[in-house]
């Protein structure tokens, strides 16, 4: 039996027809470009598609899990079972990997501020919150021990805030205030939203707009952000997916089109 290579180019997909969701997939996948043999921990549909796309293209050594306790050796479609198990990764071993920094996690955020402090715990005062969310979970350890990026499918002033109500993931200013034990391995890579891509390359590690998705303007991003955002005079567009990448997204990794449910056109 001849095994079909899922990365083989077909030429059927047209990059000019890429949707906003597919640009978001590409932007998230770039977070793991040439990452080497580290564990990708994507949280959310688009980051999951992105990590699998990166594995199939420019980050072949990337490690993926089944979302439970196994390292997988293939790249199944989202929601499909893996057919190849490479190793066992129960929770305690996963935590050991986190503490060793051999992981790049892409988390979500209910709130995020200009220095990358993230909140997934509560809205309002901690002692009497207006909304109870997930709790801090593993966000503090993630942000202090391994590279972290963020995926935010709805860019708005409710999410991009001047000051988070509670710090779950540690931002650059909070890490600096805590001292060397917090800054030693602290590494926030990028934020991807449905409007654009951001990093922390401005003064004092403040958030900076580095690319816009097609159809989005700088003014639109500023209006949807609750703090003054650093921008260049000319902000480039998020790179287009290639025909091969679009084929992999649509036919191999996400044939059910789940990405379009997470990102509005």
């Amino acid at each position: 039996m001849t095994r079909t290579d899922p990365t083989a180019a077909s030429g059927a997909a047209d990059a000019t027809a890429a949707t906003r969701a597919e640009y978001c997939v590409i932007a998230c996948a770039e977070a793991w470009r040439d990452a080497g043999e580290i564990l990708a921990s994507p949280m959310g549909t688009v980051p999951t598609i992105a990590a699998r796309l990166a594995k199939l293209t420019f980050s072949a050594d990337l490690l993926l899990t089944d979302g439970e306790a196994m390292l997988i050796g293939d790249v199944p479609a989202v929601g499909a079972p893996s057919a190849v198990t490479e190793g066992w990764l129960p929770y305690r071993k996963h935590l050991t990997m986190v503490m060793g920094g051999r992981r790049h996690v892409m988390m979500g955020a209910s709130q995020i501020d200009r220095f990358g402090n993230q909140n997934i715990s509560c809205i309002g005062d901690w002692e009497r919150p207006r909304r109870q969310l997930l709790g801090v979970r593993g966000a503090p350890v993630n942000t202090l021990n391994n590279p972290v990026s963020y995926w935010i499918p709805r860019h708005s002033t409710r999410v991009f805030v001047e000051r988070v109500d509670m710090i779950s993931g540690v931002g650059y200013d909070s890490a600096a205030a805590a001292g060397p034990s917090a800054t030693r391995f602290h590494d926030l890579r990028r934020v991807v939203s449905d409007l654009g891509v951001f990093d922390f390359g401005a003064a004092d590690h403040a958030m900076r707009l580095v690319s816009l998705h097609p159809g989005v303007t700088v003014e639109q991003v500023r209006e949807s952000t609750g703090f003054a955002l650093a921008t260049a005079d000319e902000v480039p567009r998020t790179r287009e997916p290639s025909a091969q990448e679009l084929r992999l997204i649509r036919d191999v990794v996400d044939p059910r089109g789940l990405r379009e449910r997470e990102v509005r056109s």
Side-chain angles (χ1 to χ4, degrees):
M1 177 182 290
T2 301
R3 185 175 179 178
T4 302
D5 180 0
T7 67
S10 67
D14 181 1
T16 62
T19 66
R20 178 73 62 82
E22 288 162 345
Y23 276 96
C24 291
V25 169
I26 289 297
C28 289
E30 287 289 345
W32 288 290
R33 177 177 284 277
D34 301 325
E37 195 177 52
I38 68 166
L39 180 68
S41 289
M43 300 180 185
T45 300
V46 164
T48 298
I49 298 166
R52 297 184 186 198
L53 177 66
K55 171 77 172 178
L56 288 171
T57 53
F58 45 69
S59 294
D61 293 332
L62 201 63
L63 302 178
L64 303 176
T65 77
D66 64 354
E68 295 184 9
M70 297 294 180
L71 287 171
I72 60 175
D74 56 352
V75 185
V78 174
S82 168
V84 181
T85 298
E86 280 196 333
W88 187 46
L89 193 68
Y91 196 60
R92 63 181 180 274
K93 290 187 178 293
H94 197 139
L95 290 178
T96 300
M97 183 173 284
V98 171
M99 296 297 286
R102 300 296 299 165
R103 184 177 78 144
H104 183 165
V105 58
M106 184 170 285
M107 297 192 291
S110 300
Q111 293 178 326
I112 190 168
D113 67 24
R114 73 173 73 231
F115 296 110
N117 295 292
Q118 169 241 34
N119 176 23
I120 52 172
S121 184
C122 63
I123 301 299
D125 185 77
W126 182 82
E127 294 183 352
R128 195 175 181 85
R130 299 193 305 275
R131 294 287 187 276
Q132 182 64 54
L133 306 175
L134 291 173
V136 297
R137 311 226 7 142
V141 175
N142 288 342
T143 48
L144 296 184
N145 287 279
N146 54 221
V148 170
S149 294
Y150 290 105
W151 160 240
I152 299 170
R154 300 285 185 271
H155 191 128
S156 74
T157 54
R158 294 179 62 183
V159 180
F160 287 76
V161 297
E162 181 67 37
R163 184 184 181 95
V164 297
D165 291 341
M166 180 177 177
I167 296 174
S168 303
V170 179
Y172 277 102
D173 59 339
S174 300
S181 63
T183 58
R184 186 178 181 188
F185 302 114
H186 187 254
D187 183 8
L188 303 184
R189 296 283 176 87
R190 64 171 48 195
V191 178
V192 180
S193 80
D194 60 332
L195 299 184
V197 182
F198 310 80
D199 67 9
F200 296 93
D204 299 322
H205 291 292
M207 194 181 297
R208 175 180 66 174
L209 174 63
V210 295
S211 77
L212 293 164
H213 302 328
V216 180
T217 65
V218 173
E219 290 71 24
Q220 182 181 354
V221 174
R222 285 175 174 161
E223 289 174 0
S224 301
T225 304
F227 52 82
L229 185 66
T231 62
D233 292 337
E234 294 291 334
V235 181
R237 293 292 177 186
T238 303
R239 80 163 178 89
E240 287 187 343
S242 67
Q244 179 199 26
E245 288 169 330
L246 279 180
R247 187 188 67 80
L248 290 171
I249 292 169
R250 296 170 179 177
D251 300 340
V252 178
V253 182
D254 185 30
R256 292 190 292 161
L258 300 177
R259 62 196 179 277
E260 303 297 338
R261 302 179 192 178
E262 193 167 59
V263 180
R264 293 172 295 188
S265 297

